[in-house]
Amino acid sequence: MGKGQELYNRAKEIIPGGTQLLSKRPEMWLPEKWPAYYSKAKGCEVWDLDGNHYYDFSIMGVGANVLGYAFDEVDNAAKDAINCGGMCTLNAPEEVELAEKLLKLHPWAGMVRYAKAGGEAMSMAARIARAQTGKDIVLVCGYHGWHDWYLAANLVKGDPLADVHLKGLEPAGVPRGLAGSNLIFHYDNLDEFESLINANKGEIAAVIMEPIRNEYPSKGYLERIREITKREGIVLVFDEITAGFRLCPGGSHLVLGVEPDIAVFAKAMTNGYPVAAIIGRKGVMQAAQDTFISSTFWTEKIALAAAVKSIECYQKYEVDKHQKHVGELISKGWKQAAEKAGVHITVSGILPLIHFSFNYDNQLAYKTYFTQEMLKEGYLAGPSVYASYAHKDSMIVDYIAACERVFEKVGKIILKGEEITNYLDGPVCHAGFERLN
């Protein structure tokens, strides 16, 4: 057991859930064996607390580091801001500078507000939409955070969030009076969407959705949603926290050709610094002045300065093109490696967020084994890769070679008719939210 696992065992005693983010729990990757903590990260390289070196071909800071870890130009902008004083009684001029950049990228929008994280930014967007329309119900498609307005979907009978995010999310602590205020529809299902519109006519404040998920939408899907929301006076909110700054500089909706009333960004926009942006049409965003939305650390200078520089670098280095290139190479490499080993997988996702699944029963065990063996090869890896500017062709070649060796092991186990669980060094990884002992 390394220092990381020892520290994590202590963390579980004094931090509920062990970590601050479900996606970073070691149980989600390789229970009892995952390094858990890092001492240094640069580019797509990571060193754990024992000094072991890995290449990160997994989720790159949960999608936050599209330029790579510790990107010099962005970090230098943050350091300059620190030297000027990160917080002051007066406001940071970067608030205006960042707003101007975002509005230039999105000419349909007219105003910008900030938050620190994607979840609270989505909560703000829902509040603004409700304030602007004077209505309560929101129709929701996708994952939008942990706040009451979203988890309220599971206050009604069944498990509505199971198919759009995680199964079994208990709405413990969410006021039961919010039941029915949040109704779920499934991506690319127009009939379901229109049925909810008709059943709740005149009562809907907003449609809140991810404009793109694992696959591109069917032709006319987003256009029809835009047409209906405009006709009904419903605020259309696009959650660009995951997809934004992947397909182009700015929101994926720019590529998809449909303009919302509000769009929300975080993660990739800042390359790892905590700031989120809510942009929208002036007539909608002005409603933020009719409801109390305010927080001290939304005004700090450091993350704003980093976000300004991050967007500049993203454009200068044409990072969106590189992300697609990385996705293409990895997708092709996975398919060839699996085919060579006689292992059946399905590759899916948009190129900057590429992933695969094993086409066998007990998928979680196969996923755990893949992560286990790739860790031995020197990679932080699972069945998905968040492409970054730091992923270079030579690294990808070596990564695919490692995948070939692991797939070959999987193929031999399958050929022998043995259970993959017999080859695990610890428990099978978790699939979603579970209470930790």
Side-chain angles (χ1 to χ4, degrees):
M1 181 177 290
K3 293 179 182 177
Q5 272 298 328
E6 290 176 355
L7 186 61
Y8 182 60
N9 284 339
R10 173 57 178 154
K12 287 189 286 186
E13 295 176 358
I14 58 177
I15 297 174
T19 69
Q20 313 309 309
L21 183 69
L22 179 63
S23 302
K24 286 192 176 186
R25 281 186 184 179
E27 289 85 357
M28 300 295 287
W29 297 90
L30 189 63
E32 300 177 5
K33 300 294 182 181
W34 194 243
Y37 299 92
Y38 74 100
S39 61
K40 179 184 174 183
K42 181 71 175 177
C44 64
E45 299 178 75
V46 177
W47 290 261
D48 68 15
L49 300 187
D50 293 299
N52 297 312
H53 171 271
Y54 308 96
Y55 287 99
D56 194 341
F57 274 76
S58 61
I59 55 176
M60 288 300 293
V62 200
N65 296 87
V66 292
L67 297 172
Y69 299 129
F71 196 78
D72 289 341
E73 292 175 62
V74 176
D75 286 0
N76 287 337
K79 290 171 185 175
D80 288 344
I82 292 172
N83 291 336
C84 292
M87 179 59 78
C88 179
T89 298
L90 301 182
N91 296 294
E94 288 85 357
E95 286 189 21
V96 181
E97 187 178 2
L98 179 56
E100 297 283 13
K101 281 191 178 298
L102 290 169
L103 295 178
K104 187 174 181 180
L105 289 172
H106 305 88
W108 59 268
M111 303 190 89
V112 181
R113 284 294 304 261
Y114 301 113
K116 275 295 173 191
E120 66 175 358
M122 289 308 303
S123 187
M124 189 190 301
R127 171 84 72 81
I128 291 172
R130 283 169 166 157
Q132 199 272 336
T133 61
K135 299 169 184 176
D136 294 337
I137 295 176
V138 294
L139 306 189
V140 178
C141 176
Y143 170 61
H144 307 292
W146 61 272
H147 295 71
D148 286 0
W149 77 269
Y150 179 65
L151 288 185
N154 275 6
L155 288 169
V156 299
K157 188 177 180 181
D159 191 5
L161 293 177
D163 296 330
V164 299
H165 181 42
L166 293 173
K167 292 182 180 179
L169 286 179
E170 291 292 335
V174 179
R176 299 196 175 278
L178 293 178
S181 64
N182 179 354
L183 305 176
I184 300 299
F185 66 98
H186 293 82
Y187 192 76
D188 232 4
N189 189 331
L190 266 179
D191 290 340
E192 183 183 34
F193 173 76
E194 293 192 33
S195 177
L196 284 174
I197 290 286
N198 293 330
N200 298 278
K201 223 167 184 52
E203 299 177 11
I204 302 171
V207 170
I208 300 176
M209 65 181 298
E210 294 172 288
I212 189 168
R213 301 203 71 199
N214 292 329
E215 305 293 342
Y216 280 80
S218 299
K219 185 178 181 181
Y221 172 66
L222 291 178
E223 289 83 355
R224 180 62 176 156
I225 288 178
R226 175 69 284 188
E227 176 189 337
I228 292 172
T229 52
K230 191 173 289 186
R231 182 190 73 205
E232 300 292 331
I234 296 168
V235 176
L236 178 59
V237 179
F238 280 168
D239 178 344
E240 291 277 11
I241 294 166
T242 296
F245 289 88
R246 311 278 180 195
L247 300 178
C248 68
S252 64
H253 66 271
L254 297 174
V255 173
L256 300 171
V258 177
E259 296 175 349
D261 299 304
I262 292 176
V264 180
F265 299 88
K267 287 188 189 284
M269 178 184 75
T270 72
N271 204 55
Y273 287 86
V275 65
I278 303 93
I279 72 172
R281 302 182 192 276
K282 278 193 175 182
V284 176
M285 292 295 289
Q286 287 284 9
Q289 298 195 76
D290 300 325
T291 180
F292 185 63
I293 300 173
S294 184
S295 187
T296 298
F297 282 107
W298 293 348
T299 70
E300 68 89 18
K301 183 185 186 78
I302 302 160
L304 293 167
V308 169
K309 181 57 69 173
S310 181
I311 292 174
E312 289 177 2
C313 292
Y314 193 94
Q315 293 175 297
K316 178 170 65 173
Y317 299 117
E318 297 183 311
V319 175
D320 56 311
K321 293 181 181 179
H322 185 75
Q323 287 173 293
K324 294 171 193 173
H325 172 68
V326 169
E328 287 170 350
L329 291 180
I330 291 175
S331 174
K332 181 180 178 181
W334 280 342
K335 290 175 182 177
Q336 291 178 344
E339 184 177 356
K340 181 180 177 182
V343 176
H344 299 297
I345 65 170
T346 298
V347 177
S348 55
I350 58 175
L351 289 173
L353 303 173
I354 199 77
H355 53 264
F356 75 87
S357 57
F358 287 100
N359 299 335
Y360 302 97
D361 293 336
N362 205 357
Q363 276 199 41
L364 282 181
Y366 279 91
K367 174 186 172 184
T368 307
Y369 181 78
F370 179 80
T371 298
Q372 170 185 291
E373 297 306 302
M374 288 298 288
L375 191 68
K376 294 173 184 176
E377 294 275 355
Y379 293 90
L380 300 178
S384 61
V385 174
Y386 283 43
S388 81
Y389 189 60
H391 289 118
K392 305 305 181 185
D393 287 14
S394 60
M395 298 176 180
I396 296 170
V397 169
D398 292 340
Y399 164 74
I400 294 300
C403 289
E404 287 180 353
R405 292 189 289 273
V406 174
F407 281 141
E408 185 180 358
K409 292 178 182 179
V410 173
K412 288 179 179 178
I413 294 169
I414 293 170
L415 194 62
K416 287 189 289 187
E418 296 185 346
E419 292 292 333
I420 196 78
T421 50
N422 294 338
Y423 291 83
L424 296 181
D425 297 333
V428 173
C429 70
H430 293 185
F433 179 78
E434 293 184 32
R435 187 180 181 92
L436 300 183
N437 294 323

